Amino acid sequence: MSYVDSVLEELIKKDAPQKEFIQAVTEVLNSIRPVIDSNSHFKEMGLLERIVEPERVLMFRVPWMDDNKKVRVNRGFRVQFNSAIGPYKGGLRFHPSVNLSIIKFLGFEQIFKNSLTGMPIGGGKGGADFDPKGKSDHEIMVFCQSFMTELFHHIGPDTDVPAGDIGVGSREIGYLYGQYKRLTNRFHGVLTGKGLTYGGSLARTQATGYGVIYFAEEMLKIKNDSIKNKKIIISGSGNVAIYAAEKAAALDGKVIALSDSTGWIYDKEGIDLETVKKIKLVNHSRLRDYISIHKNAEYHRGKGIWSIPCDIALPCATQNELDAKDASNLIKNGVKMVVEGANMPITIEAIQLLQSEGILYAPGKAANAGGVATSALEMSQNSIRTSWTFYEVDTRLRHIMSSIHEHTYDAAEAYGHKGNYLVGANIAGFLKVAEAMMEQGIV
Ligand code: NDP
């Protein structure tokens, strides 16, 4: 049995119920086989057994009192997965679906994504099974304060620097930071995605979405093509989706559909983003409100967004949101490129289908790495007590995305898989971490 297969078999025996985690590890290990098979040192040093095991897993009680004076208890998590190349770095997700499997899958992916950015940041992820929807501002604050009251023991600017993710935006980061400061009496860059008045970076809000489009542009450049005049559908209407749509439109692409967790809108004239921003970012409402303003647009309940014909599809909502049936629909309707804005939004079967049909495909760990890269730029600005202009940060982001593209493309080619961004991203991300782990001994 090969080294990869024996590690996967052992992991499945130990962690079988952790479906998402097993899925993420299987995808990565399968695609780095060419590297593993050609280096027997990795096996001698137990590298794969070590890389699939988090350095530390924290699970904790988060008690808080709601506005009706009822005591509630949620479960908090922080998985400090790998610090071979820098302090743990990765977001916090507040969503009722959060469990250990989801946090471990996200933390594992984060190791390779962070390595790809070229910045000195390790992999981690955290969150809670708390649902911010329908909660008052006061309840959100009380929850964040309780969450940080445990988390602060385990983080620090040189140890672990969390950020936002689903359900954790600037409001939550503000409350978390306030409580950290109060508990430690320290004002330093322990969280990223902060407000601009207390150490946040310009362009961090836009970075993940803009980065996805910069990456897609690089992929198209290789084919002597561009975003211009492409029909684009984007799932989600949160941070990543909205700013991917904004940059795509700025480059003359035509975004014709967006979704949220209840349904999707289709506007063949091109989505009016100002309306979407008002609905989602200001009113925190449902996307169906769009059709009361844009009478020619359509709203559909459920998850049918992938049935719309388009040139480019960008899944930017959540994991496993695009399955083999959706991929078949996209292929049948002539899609040319699928780029992941979310983390692991496409099932393994669907990826295989897209690749077997020659559709250009890029994994999230490469395409959405602009968010964490800009978080690392925020850490740098905090360390040297400065703040760069929007233009400066955006220019660095563009450069980072172009360099991630180059490394990914080159690694795929070097290992005989030219044009396979999945293999390229996993190999390029893995090699740096593996080398650092080998040099640091068995730890
Ligand atoms: P947000 O919470 O801002 O937005 C998430 C969007 O996806 C919302 O429109 C939400 O709908 C929708 N959504 C969430 N869960 C589901 C579901 N189960 N089914 C259908 N739709 C759903 O999150 P982000 O935009 O920040 O994150 C989106 C993805 O991108 C995640 O996978 C995240 O891990 C990844 N990511 C985010 C980064 C960042 O910088 N923010 C960086 C790198 C990756 P509704 O509005 O109804 O809640």
Side-chain angles (χ1 to χ4, degrees):
M1 186 187 283
S2 76
Y3 180 34
V4 165
D5 287 328
S6 68
V7 171
L8 279 175
E9 189 180 277
E10 196 53 34
L11 191 76
I12 291 167
K13 248 194 246 161
K14 271 205 253 178
D15 290 332
Q18 296 176 6
K19 274 194 330 298
E20 294 83 1
F21 176 54
I22 300 280
Q23 179 184 342
V25 176
T26 304
E27 182 220 278
V28 171
L29 295 201
N30 274 333
S31 64
I32 59 172
R33 279 177 196 270
V35 178
I36 302 296
D37 293 345
S38 62
N39 191 334
S40 61
H41 265 40
F42 291 147
K43 185 173 180 185
E44 286 152 25
M45 294 288 280
L47 187 89
L48 293 185
E49 291 88 334
R50 288 191 286 136
I51 215 167
V52 301
E53 197 63 37
E55 288 173 16
R56 199 169 296 103
V57 173
L58 306 156
M59 272 175 69
F60 50 93
R61 178 171 74 204
V62 188
W64 56 284
M65 193 176 271
D66 71 17
D67 289 346
N68 298 317
K69 305 271 181 283
K70 185 171 182 293
V71 174
R72 309 269 199 129
V73 179
N74 285 96
R75 186 169 287 175
F77 301 87
R78 186 71 185 165
V79 172
Q80 299 180 328
F81 222 118
N82 193 301
S83 61
I85 63 168
Y88 311 106
K89 178 96 199 86
L92 298 171
R93 177 177 292 190
F94 291 169
H95 193 271
S97 65
V98 162
N99 57 33
L100 187 57
S101 172
I102 288 184
I103 298 298
K104 278 178 72 180
F105 116 64
L106 289 164
F108 183 72
E109 286 283 293
Q110 199 80 45
I111 303 170
F112 308 102
K113 181 191 306 195
N114 292 2
S115 162
L116 273 176
T117 65
M119 328 277 282
I121 40 179
K125 198 83 189 187
D129 60 355
F130 169 76
D131 189 357
K133 281 208 184 85
K135 303 290 188 298
S136 70
D137 246 20
H138 179 256
E139 288 174 324
I140 300 275
M141 182 183 75
V142 171
F143 178 82
C144 289
Q145 290 177 340
S146 179
F147 184 84
M148 184 52 85
T149 300
E150 175 57 36
L151 189 69
F152 93 98
H153 293 294
H154 314 287
I155 61 176
D158 298 316
T159 312
D160 184 354
V161 184
D165 189 73
I166 293 178
V168 179
S170 53
R171 173 181 58 172
E172 291 75 16
I173 292 288
Y175 293 145
L176 290 163
Y177 193 69
Q179 182 71 354
Y180 176 86
K181 206 158 47 63
R182 180 195 203 183
L183 291 164
T184 60
N185 197 23
R186 293 274 185 283
F187 193 106
H188 49 201
V190 73
L191 293 171
T192 56
K194 299 187 290 300
L196 294 176
T197 53
Y198 61 95
S201 173
L202 284 162
R204 172 60 188 94
T205 306
Q206 294 82 355
T208 309
Y210 280 20
V212 170
I213 301 299
Y214 294 151
F215 194 89
E217 273 280 279
E218 294 293 330
M219 292 170 76
L220 287 165
K221 240 191 245 166
I222 298 256
K223 305 272 175 199
N224 292 319
D225 203 347
S226 75
I227 299 275
K228 193 168 177 185
N229 294 332
K230 296 286 184 301
K231 275 197 224 152
I232 305 170
I233 56 179
I234 304 181
S235 63
S237 47
N239 175 268
V240 181
I242 284 179
Y243 292 103
E246 182 170 279
K247 184 51 75 178
L251 295 173
D252 295 326
K254 193 166 179 185
V255 180
I256 53 172
L258 286 175
S259 65
D260 65 13
S261 53
T262 50
W264 48 280
I265 51 168
Y266 171 53
D267 190 338
K268 62 178 187 311
E269 305 305 326
I271 299 277
D272 175 21
L273 260 187
E274 288 317 306
T275 306
V276 173
K277 282 185 182 173
K278 193 155 174 232
I279 295 170
K280 299 304 287 188
L281 304 180
V282 181
N283 300 342
H284 299 288
S285 183
R286 314 309 308 168
L287 214 44
R288 66 169 170 263
D289 296 355
Y290 186 89
I291 53 166
S292 59
I293 299 162
H294 298 274
K295 306 282 183 209
N296 292 329
E298 299 169 21
Y299 172 78
H300 301 266
R301 288 178 66 82
K303 127 180 207 317
I305 190 168
W306 309 121
S307 61
I308 306 169
C310 65
D311 302 307
I312 299 176
L314 307 176
C316 294
T318 192
Q319 65 273 358
N320 292 328
E321 54 165 313
L322 195 163
D323 61 19
K325 197 163 138 261
D326 300 320
S328 302
N329 269 333
L330 286 168
I331 293 164
K332 194 177 71 201
N333 288 330
V335 75
K336 295 181 182 66
M337 181 162 92
V338 183
V339 177
E340 295 183 343
N343 286 314
M344 205 170 76
I346 311 187
T347 63
I348 291 180
E349 300 73 36
I351 294 172
Q352 283 164 353
L353 203 55
L354 293 168
Q355 289 185 323
S356 68
E357 292 294 322
I359 311 295
L360 266 178
Y361 158 76
K365 67 169 70 66
N368 73 26
V372 74
T374 308
S375 276
L377 297 177
E378 183 174 331
M379 289 165 73
S380 305
Q381 292 169 76
N382 292 163
S383 298
I384 56 172
R385 304 272 193 265
T386 192
S387 50
W388 297 325
T389 62
F390 189 100
Y391 176 77
E392 239 174 316
V393 179
D394 188 39
T395 305
R396 283 173 197 255
L397 169 65
R398 204 181 266 254
H399 176 75
I400 290 168
M401 294 316 295
S402 151
S403 131
I404 295 175
H405 178 272
E406 192 183 323
H407 287 127
T408 303
Y409 191 85
D410 290 351
E413 190 168 22
Y415 284 88
H417 291 267
K418 188 171 174 183
N420 186 332
Y421 286 88
L422 180 67
V423 168
N426 285 333
I427 290 182
F430 169 79
L431 281 174
K432 180 173 169 191
V433 177
E435 199 178 320
M437 287 177 73
M438 298 291 273
E439 286 176 14
Q440 290 170 28
I442 302 174
V443 291

